[in-house]
Amino acid sequence: MASALSDKLSRLVKEMRGQARITEANVQDMLREVRMALLEADVALPVVRDFVARVKEKALGQEVVGSLNPGQALVGIVNRELVATMGEGVSDLNLAAQPPVVILMAGLQGSGKTTTTAKLARHLGEKRKKKVLTVSGDVYRPAAIEQLKTVTAQAGAEWFPSTPDQKPLDIARAALDHARRQYVDVLIVDTAGRLAVDEAMMREIRELHAALKPTETLFVVDAMQGQDAVNTAKAFKEALPLTGIVLTKMDGDSRGGAALSVRQVTGAPIKFAGVSEKIDGLEVFDAERHAGRILG
Ligand code: GDP
């Protein structure tokens, strides 16, 4: 099925009919359509600029200028570049370390950390036959601890109790100690998030990272955040050595441009996509499928 972008490019090429060959100026017109498509998909402006510059370099080679079907040739280049940008290094979770392997969840409040913690617990239990323990370090919202307890039960995993009067670091250490004694394979640590990036939250999660030495530090980000995802991603990348991204709420109506932005800004691979509110609504991220969605 033709994408919206390839329709637009075909139209442009038709308008050029009668010209002896595709010129650099024609390529510029086509690149303008590519830029529009990415902006419509909510890819952040600086990321769009970089991306279009890379595509231009490739397009000005013979591949487009000398092609019989320049519109399709350019769509092909854009598609390959999208997949290369989003797909490189995509992998499942790294569980090769000595157990208990620790996964630290990072992200803003409402991004889907707690839900994703339970989804991952289920994924690791069912698909990889791991014994999983979850714990909440969110002592600021008592409801968050209860929420994790409920969704962990749905996931069929174990939950380690914590209370709002404890310090997140103490909770994390106690959970790690318990995980060691109980031969847990994977400990997933859910953390507090604020509505916006703030220094206290970043300091706290850095301390947790230092104490837990997690194998995976996953940045959870809402795909509906669009342009704003870039600033959030930058702040978390500066605070923590991220090992992967989980893009949530991909079942929403966004075109998912946040994937490209966040991948580019953090350099971390997108490992999973959240596709529903339900416990089984988690998929291994597929860059090729996602490229099609961004192109519209
Ligand atoms: P946290 O504050 O980061 O822990 O976020 P939560 O896990 O509490 O999620 C916030 C809201 O987003 C909840 O209503 C979740 O059900 C919802 N949510 C999380 N992931 C997804 C997803 O992939 N798709 C949809 N539709 N909703 C999600």
Side-chain angles (χ1 to χ4, degrees), residues 34-205:
V34 172
R35 186 183 148 89
M36 286 300 297
L38 294 177
L39 288 174
E40 276 167 24
D42 243 349
V43 180
L45 190 54
V47 176
V48 172
R49 281 204 199 101
D50 272 15
F51 185 87
V52 171
R54 292 205 301 279
V55 169
K56 181 178 176 184
E57 207 173 291
K58 297 201 163 102
L60 288 180
Q62 281 301 306
E63 215 177 328
V64 170
V65 176
S67 162
L68 284 177
N69 190 341
Q72 275 314 108
L74 189 64
V75 168
I77 291 173
V78 172
N79 198 62
R80 281 195 296 280
E81 193 64 29
L82 280 174
V83 173
T85 306
M86 295 188 298
E88 259 168 320
V90 166
S91 57
D92 207 338
L93 294 168
N94 173 12
L95 302 177
Q98 172 94 4
V101 171
V102 178
I103 302 177
L104 183 64
M105 308 297 286
L108 292 184
Q109 184 179 315
S111 61
K113 281 187 308 299
T114 305
T115 309
T116 306
T117 299
K119 287 175 175 178
L120 282 174
R122 179 180 179 276
H123 170 85
L124 292 170
E126 289 197 356
K127 302 253 161 61
R128 298 181 72 172
K129 308 290 172 222
K130 299 294 181 190
K131 179 174 173 175
V132 182
L133 180 71
T134 71
V135 66
S136 174
D138 190 349
V139 294
Y140 311 100
R141 292 187 310 137
I145 297 176
E146 279 304 305
Q147 184 194 346
L148 184 65
K149 181 182 182 180
T150 305
V151 287
T152 301
Q154 287 169 11
E158 284 174 48
W159 170 80
F160 187 76
S162 52
T163 54
D165 58 342
Q166 289 177 286
K167 291 200 181 85
L169 257 183
D170 293 339
I171 294 171
R173 288 196 181 110
L176 187 57
D177 191 44
H178 178 84
R180 281 196 185 112
R181 281 188 281 110
Q182 297 298 313
Y183 302 103
V184 163
D185 297 311
V186 184
L187 169 66
I188 313 179
V189 182
D190 191 11
T191 61
R194 308 284 156 83
L195 289 172
V197 170
D198 77 72
E199 200 31 58
M201 170 176 75
M202 288 306 184
R203 199 179 321 117
E204 181 180 291
I205 200 161

Side-chain angles (χ1 to χ4, degrees), residues 176-249:
L176 187 57
D177 191 44
H178 178 84
R180 281 196 185 112
R181 281 188 281 110
Q182 297 298 313
Y183 302 103
V184 163
D185 297 311
V186 184
L187 169 66
I188 313 179
V189 182
D190 191 11
T191 61
R194 308 284 156 83
L195 289 172
V197 170
D198 77 72
E199 200 31 58
M201 170 176 75
M202 288 306 184
R203 199 179 321 117
E204 181 180 291
I205 200 161
R206 267 198 306 265
E207 282 170 9
L208 283 171
H209 186 275
L212 288 164
K213 301 186 180 56
T215 304
E216 291 276 3
T217 302
L218 300 180
F219 172 54
V220 180
V221 59
D222 178 347
M224 308 287 279
Q225 251 211 334
Q227 304 264 343
D228 292 340
V230 163
N231 294 330
T232 317
K234 258 189 203 143
F236 277 91
K237 181 201 157 47
E238 277 161 21
L240 294 166
L242 303 175
T243 61
I245 296 159
V246 182
L247 206 61
T248 61
K249 309 188 195 180

